[in-house]
Amino acid sequence: MELLTATEANEKIVNSLEYKSLHNHMWAEVVDTINEAINRGDSNVTYDSGTNTQLGIRIVNRIEDKLRNSGYIVHRGFQGKSELVISWNNL
């Protein structure tokens, strides 16, 4: 059995087909959810990934970072690790 460093293990997970597939699916859901809210004239929306797996939470964390880097205000919702409350101000 091969021992991996934390960086190598993380890279292996991020490059896995399961991770990429789930990330793409969840990111598309987030984008659709935001667009629907903007079209309604809302200034915030809640996205709940419905996942509580380590892999799912890792993806939610990455999506949270991606949104923040794009200028969105992001908080965790009542569901904790799986839910994001996303706000914007005329992005």
Side-chain angles (χ1 to χ4, degrees), residues 19-79:
Y19 177 93
K20 288 179 181 180
S21 175
L22 187 57
H23 181 276
N24 291 342
H25 173 76
M26 288 170 68
W27 179 248
E29 284 183 338
V30 167
V31 170
D32 287 346
T33 301
I34 291 171
N35 285 335
E36 288 170 6
I38 289 171
N39 289 337
R40 286 191 308 266
D42 296 341
S43 60
N44 63 62
V45 70
T46 299
Y47 170 74
D48 187 356
S49 67
T51 185
N52 61 1
T53 66
Q54 280 188 326
L55 183 62
I57 298 305
R58 184 182 292 239
I59 293 170
V60 171
N61 292 341
R62 182 160 281 186
I63 288 173
E64 180 180 10
D65 291 342
K66 197 182 230 186
L67 289 168
R68 281 201 173 120
N69 290 337
S70 298
Y72 290 90
I73 301 163
V74 184
H75 302 283
R76 291 301 171 133
F78 292 112
Q79 298 301 321

